[in-house]
């Protein structure tokens, strides 16, 4: 796993945006996997800026979101569809028909989940999946104990996640207990994963993800099995990493190599 440590959440957003923008420029018909939560907000702001100021073109991009709360209508301000519309889609030139978020009010969740998986396949798979991380190390809503081969399905949220996410709701009792989420197996099929984390409250989850054993108790740790994962984290989220220095050395060597400045010893 490539680990990039940035000095601030703003720098994390800027660095993450360079990866997304490079893909959109190289492959205008790319398929983006998108995430919600407070962490990717800076990334979306930066991409909106690149769209406005540099003409970054999303007109042929397709997107699939990771998850949605069960029971919330797309118009509900805490639904993930609403989040995406207001924080990203309505500010860029993506074709709304090409944006996909699981339906939290599907009548038959099993059929809906299968259809969501099929849709992803029909579009040729996800080129780049943006991921945040829960404080318990979950990706999307794959809570501890989720099968590392899991596919899109319903998932019961842990009380820790319900507590973490209650800050977005007026009343903690309103936080849904169920979500429809891509599985760990679905996520691992993306061609590249971009994991973002900021803040000390994510430090332990990031340590377990990057340096801990691969375990269903920390579903993000399954990313160790993926050949192309880039974790972009701020100093606080990196603060518990044992090999932090080494990750920074790897980035320095990489930059020197790209600039043609790498000195080879005798
Ligand atoms: C929710 C989402 C995850 C997200 C996590 C962290 O559980 N389902 O996709 O990564 O929240 O959110 P935040 O970035 O707000 O800390």
């Amino acid at each position: 796993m490539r680990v990039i440590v940035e000095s601030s959440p703003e720098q994390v957003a800027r660095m993450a945006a360079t990866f997304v923008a490079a893909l959109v420029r190289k492959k205008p018909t790319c398929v983006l996997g998108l995430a919600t939560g407070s962490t990717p907000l800076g990334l979306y702001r930066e991409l909106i800026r690149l769209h406005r100021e540099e003409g970054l073109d999303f007109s042929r991009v397709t997107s699939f979101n990771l998850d949605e709360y069960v029971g919330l209508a797309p118009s509900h301000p805490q639904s993930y569809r609403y989040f995406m519309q207001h924080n990203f889609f309505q500010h860029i030139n993506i074709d709304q028909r090409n944006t996909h978020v699981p339906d939290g009010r599907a009548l038959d969740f099993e059929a809906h989940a299968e259809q969501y998986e099929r849709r992803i396949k029909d579009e040729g798979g996800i080129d780049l999946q943006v991921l945040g991380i829960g404080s318990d190390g979950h990706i999307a809503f794959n809570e501890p104990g989720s099968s590392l081969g899991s596919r899109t399905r319903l998932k019961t949220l842990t009380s820790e996640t319900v507590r973490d996410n209650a800050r977005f709701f007026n009343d903690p009792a309103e936080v849904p207990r169920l979500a429809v989420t891509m599985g760990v197996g679905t996520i691992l099929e993306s061609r590249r994963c971009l994991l973002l984390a900021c803040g000390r409250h994510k430090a332990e989850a990031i340590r377990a993800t990057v340096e801990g054993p691969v375990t269903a108790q920390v579903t993000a740790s399954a990313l160790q099995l993926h050949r192309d994962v880039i974790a972009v984290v701020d100093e606080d989220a990196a603060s518990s990493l044992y090999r932090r220095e080494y990750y920074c050395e790897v980035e320095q060597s990489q930059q020197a190599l790209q600039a043609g400045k790498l000195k080879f010893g005798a």
Side-chain angles (χ1 to χ4, degrees), residues 29 74 106 136 163-164 188 208 221 235 241 246:
T29 58
D136 60 4
R163 227 180 9 253
D164 283 353
L188 290 179
S221 68
E235 296 280 2
L241 289 171
Y246 177 64

Side-chain angles (χ1 to χ4, degrees), residues 6 15 27 50 71 75 77 82 94 107 134 147 207 211 221 229:
E6 292 289 347
M15 176 55 80
K27 185 178 177 188
L50 290 173
S75 56
Y82 186 97
I94 197 164
L107 292 177
S147 156
R207 196 204 55 74
E211 297 175 342
S221 68
V229 177

Side-chain angles (χ1 to χ4, degrees), residues 247-260:
Y247 308 136
C248 295
E249 285 163 22
V250 170
E251 287 310 305
Q252 281 159 12
S253 308
Q254 193 62 32
Q255 280 162 18
L257 196 63
Q258 275 165 3

Side-chain angles (χ1 to χ4, degrees), residues 34-41 66-69 80 130-136 138-143 157 161 164-165 167-168 179 181 195-198 201-202:
L34 299 176
T36 50
S38 43
T39 312
L41 275 175
L66 288 168
D67 44 16
E68 179 60 284
Y69 287 118
Y80 284 170
V130 176
L131 296 165
I133 188 167
S135 57
D136 60 4
H138 72 238
I139 41 175
F141 269 132
N142 292 289
E143 297 286 32
L157 307 186
T161 298
D164 283 353
N165 293 357
R167 68 188 193 277
F168 299 110
T181 178
L195 174 68
L196 311 179
C198 298
H201 60 302
K202 298 293 173 73

Side-chain angles (χ1 to χ4, degrees), residues 46-258:
E46 183 62 11
L47 290 172
I48 293 165
R49 187 190 70 75
L50 290 173
H51 168 67
R52 288 187 179 149
E53 294 176 13
E54 297 179 20
L56 187 64
D57 181 14
F58 292 89
S59 62
R60 294 158 71 203
V61 169
T62 297
S63 73
F64 287 91
N65 262 78
L66 288 168
D67 44 16
E68 179 60 284
Y69 287 118
V70 164
L72 300 194
S75 56
H76 190 292
Q78 305 312 333
S79 77
Y80 284 170
R81 165 54 84 176
Y82 186 97
F83 176 101
M84 291 309 298
Q85 293 298 129
H86 288 262
N87 291 303
F88 194 34
F89 297 151
Q90 71 183 33
H91 305 288
I92 56 171
N93 66 335
I94 197 164
D95 184 337
Q96 297 288 331
R97 290 168 302 182
N98 294 337
T99 67
H100 305 88
V101 180
D103 182 359
R105 298 205 307 175
L107 292 177
D108 179 344
F109 279 106
E110 214 168 303
H112 177 59
E114 263 175 45
Q115 192 190 33
Y116 203 69
E117 292 271 339
R118 212 165 32 242
R119 267 288 210 5
I120 295 173
K121 282 210 173 74
D122 290 349
E123 293 296 337
I126 292 170
D127 290 302
L128 184 150
Q129 176 65 61
V130 176
L131 296 165
I133 188 167
S135 57
D136 60 4
H138 72 238
I139 41 175
F141 269 132
N142 292 289
E143 297 286 32
S146 294
S147 156
L148 300 186
S150 53
R151 316 298 310 187
T152 302
R153 70 209 182 293
L154 279 186
K155 196 72 204 168
T156 304
L157 307 186
T158 61
S159 44
E160 184 175 349
T161 298
V162 170
R163 227 180 9 253
D164 283 353
N165 293 357
R167 68 188 193 277
F168 299 110
F169 290 78
N170 296 328
D171 177 356
E174 282 175 21
V175 186
R177 264 43 183 183
L178 287 174
V180 51
T181 178
M182 273 189 209
V184 180
T186 322
I187 293 167
L188 290 179
E189 278 173 13
S190 310
R191 285 180 198 95
R192 167 175 273 188
C193 293
L194 187 59
L195 174 68
L196 311 179
C198 298
R200 207 161 279 269
H201 60 302
K202 298 293 173 73
E204 189 43 40
I206 285 297
R207 196 204 55 74
T209 297
V210 178
E211 297 175 342
V214 174
T215 168
Q217 295 307 314
V218 179
T219 53
S221 68
L223 294 171
Q224 291 179 30
L225 300 170
H226 192 287
R227 61 187 291 187
D228 189 357
V229 177
I230 305 169
V232 188
V233 301
D234 72 353
E235 296 280 2
D236 284 342
S239 59
S240 295
L241 289 171
Y242 298 125
R243 296 184 180 275
R244 189 190 170 292
E245 292 300 309
Y246 177 64
Y247 308 136
C248 295
E249 285 163 22
V250 170
E251 287 310 305
Q252 281 159 12
S253 308
Q254 193 62 32
Q255 280 162 18
L257 196 63
Q258 275 165 3

